Amino acid sequence: MQSEREASGSWHTSMTLDFANTDQITADFAGGSVTLQPLSASLTIPEEWTAESSYINCVITLKDGRKVYSDYYEGDYSNPNDTDNLLRGIHALPDCENDMLEQYLPIAQAFVKSDVTRGTQTQILCYGEPIEPTEVAAVTLYRFAYRGENALGTSGVQGYDLTDTMVLYQG
């Protein structure tokens, strides 16, 4: 909105999270860490894991069975092709072969920050709704490698195959 007046000052707002405990949980693993907070999860991983020839997905499984999938963003999935592609990616993950989208909580935003001096990349997944860190049952990381443009691939994305599965955190 345009105005001829100049505004200055600051403002803030606060939101109470109705949780028994909102302390963050951090778990370290070889080469990185995962930090769980009520509004987001941060995954710090070695940068070579996300090189041009590979990519990663993450699944956060809650104790009530719901899941957060790093590629499932809030948005309009009314397009059957988008939904099919999303499910194809989910179904390529071990233990997710029969999952439906209704089991998954979308993320609102995802951010990536590289630290060149440490050789790491941090992915921040902002949840679509608050999640108490103590309600997280597991955080699993899946790494896929590029096998060639014409390779069938097992990832749901042509040319990529699942190479590694790592449980980063278990509650």
Side-chain angles (χ1 to χ4, degrees):
M1 185 168 134
Q2 291 184 347
S3 172
E4 293 180 19
R5 298 177 187 249
E6 186 174 312
S8 64
S10 63
W11 66 275
H12 77 279
T13 187
S14 62
M15 177 176 70
T16 302
L17 299 175
D18 189 24
F19 292 152
N21 179 6
T22 59
D23 293 337
Q24 73 180 26
I25 295 173
T26 300
D28 294 321
F29 59 91
S33 65
V34 60
T35 302
L36 303 170
Q37 301 176 73
L39 299 176
S40 66
S42 300
L43 304 163
T44 300
I45 56 174
E47 203 160 52
E48 65 265 13
W49 286 21
T50 60
E52 187 176 313
S53 61
S54 66
Y55 73 94
I56 63 164
N57 283 128
C58 171
V59 175
I60 300 169
T61 304
L62 304 179
K63 291 178 181 175
D64 66 8
R66 296 179 301 158
K67 298 177 181 181
V68 176
Y69 177 54
S70 60
D71 280 355
Y72 184 22
Y73 296 93
E74 277 185 333
D76 182 11
Y77 279 95
S78 59
N79 181 338
N81 288 334
D82 290 345
T83 303
D84 289 347
N85 289 335
L86 179 61
L87 277 173
R88 194 174 304 118
I90 290 171
H91 291 167
L93 305 176
D95 300 321
C96 299
E97 297 92 343
N98 298 311
D99 287 355
M100 300 304 295
L101 283 183
E102 294 79 28
Q103 292 173 245
Y104 287 81
L105 301 172
I107 57 174
Q109 290 284 338
F111 302 94
V112 177
K113 182 177 90 173
S114 292
D115 185 337
V116 178
T117 57
R118 294 176 58 187
T120 60
Q121 182 185 89
T122 301
Q123 295 186 1
I124 302 167
L125 307 176
C126 300
Y127 307 136
E129 66 180 58
I131 297 171
E132 186 173 355
T134 57
E135 290 304 308
V136 173
V139 178
T140 308
L141 188 73
Y142 303 91
R143 185 164 53 156
F144 299 88
Y146 186 65
R147 300 292 188 216
E149 192 172 317
N150 296 321
L152 181 58
T154 59
S155 67
V157 178
Q158 186 167 354
Y160 286 88
D161 285 324
L162 180 67
T163 58
D164 298 300
T165 300
M166 181 186 300
V167 176
L168 304 182
Y169 170 78
Q170 205 150 24

